[in-house]
Amino acid sequence: MKIRSAPALTRFERDVSRIQEVMECHLMSGNRDIVLRVVVADLSTFDRFMKANLMLVAGIRRMRSSFIFRTMLK
C-alpha cells in the first residue's frame, strides 16, 4: 500500500484498526509503506473483504496482495 500524507496515514490507521480481519498493521521502509496481515477463510472472502473494507479507506493510492500458502519454518 502507498499512502502519501501524514493526515491520510492517521485516518488509515484509525479506519484499519476497526476492521476485524486485520490482525497486524506495519509501517514499512522500502517499496511498500504499509503491510497488513489479514486473515480470511478463502479467496472469495478476501475479494469481499477488499471491496467492503480496504477499497473504502481514504488515502490508499495503490494495493498489492500476496498470499501465504504454507509455513515452511518457524
Side-chain angles (χ1 to χ4, degrees):
M1 267 177 229
K2 287 284 189 187
I3 297 179
R4 295 288 180 195
S5 72
L9 181 61
T10 300
R11 283 190 305 274
F12 175 84
E13 197 169 358
R14 180 198 63 219
D15 294 345
V16 166
S17 71
R18 297 175 180 162
I19 302 172
Q20 178 180 347
E21 294 87 350
V22 175
M23 301 292 116
E24 297 173 12
C25 180
H26 303 278
L27 186 60
M28 306 290 290
S29 65
N31 293 334
R32 297 181 184 167
D33 292 340
I34 294 174
V35 172
L36 298 179
R37 185 172 72 89
V38 175
V39 176
V40 294
D42 52 35
L43 288 177
S44 62
T45 306
F46 180 75
D47 183 53
R48 287 191 302 274
F49 161 78
M50 291 287 288
K51 290 174 184 172
N53 293 285
L54 289 186
M55 290 181 173
L56 302 178
V57 175
I60 297 177
R61 295 187 52 174
R62 187 176 351 158
M63 289 187 273
R64 180 183 301 169
S65 300
S66 300
F67 300 93
I68 297 171
F69 293 114
R70 68 183 174 96
T71 300
M72 297 171 64
L73 294 172
K74 276 192 174 184

